[in-house]
Amino acid sequence: MRLYIEVDGDGPTVVLAHGFAGSARNLGPQARALRDRYRVVRYDARGHARSEAPDDPRAYSLGALAADMGRVMDEVGAREAVVGGVSMGAVTALAFAGAEPARVRGVVAAALPASPRSGRGLGSKAHAFADAIERWGLEAAGARFVWGPESGLDARWAQLVRQGFLEHAPHALAHGLRGVVAHWPEMDELAAPLAAAGIPLLVIAGATDAGAVASGRALADAVPGAELAVVPDADHLVNLEQPARFNEVLRAWLDRLPA
């Protein structure tokens, strides 16, 4: 399956994955901030934007997304890398690190989804969201579940989120909601392989994103030596809402990693 990939800069490889219904474009501020010292690899996840969108619902699972991250590394010739992402991309990176720890120098997990047990966040309404996409289409479903009045997004962010959301194949988002988002792992499940392998971990959350703060603290507490950064005046789109602060934290952590 074809995945759309972008590469910026030269140096140690950093692979970044976007969140659900996003694209590699969402990580542009990070690529621009790091490319003078690092080779930053971004890609559109399967079913998103410029990558292929299989019709088979069985093609959408966290295991498939983690395997795709390894395929991207192979495609760019990276034997090992720092891997990370935002929201779904963060969970993908954690799953990949658990499956292929020898290929991972460190993990960056930003804007982690709320725990499935909490009853909050996208995971708790994934099936209803998928049903709405199939019944009403992307525009109406997105207005209800993503950028509408209950989202907390101001007009500017709502417009940007809507613009990105509408470029995806409806069937792919519905399959992703049911196959991936509805089954977010708990943080202790994701933490165990990192703790066992001693993989460095940076967790970033927006201060007003309660679900991500709670998930981030749970993950960081379970991985010895993990660092947690809570960014003021930011919510779930933390890397876009406060890019300068986000990039400062990320770059400082990357610069401290062993060669």
Side-chain angles (χ1 to χ4, degrees), residues 166-179:
L166 294 178
E167 74 173 326
H168 308 302
H171 73 271
L173 293 189
H175 294 337
L177 283 162
R178 295 191 180 107

Side-chain angles (χ1 to χ4, degrees), residues 94 105-112 194 198-205 212-213 215-231 245-258:
L94 290 163
R105 294 182 56 234
V107 177
V108 181
L112 284 162
L194 271 70
I199 296 174
L201 171 65
L202 171 65
V203 181
I204 307 176
V213 171
S215 294
R217 284 183 175 147
L219 181 65
D221 287 346
V223 178
E227 297 183 28
L228 170 64
V230 179
V231 178
R245 177 57 180 152
F246 185 99
N247 295 339
E248 179 185 359
V249 170
L250 174 55
R251 176 147 187 162
W253 180 82
L254 288 171
D255 290 347
R256 291 196 300 271
L257 287 179

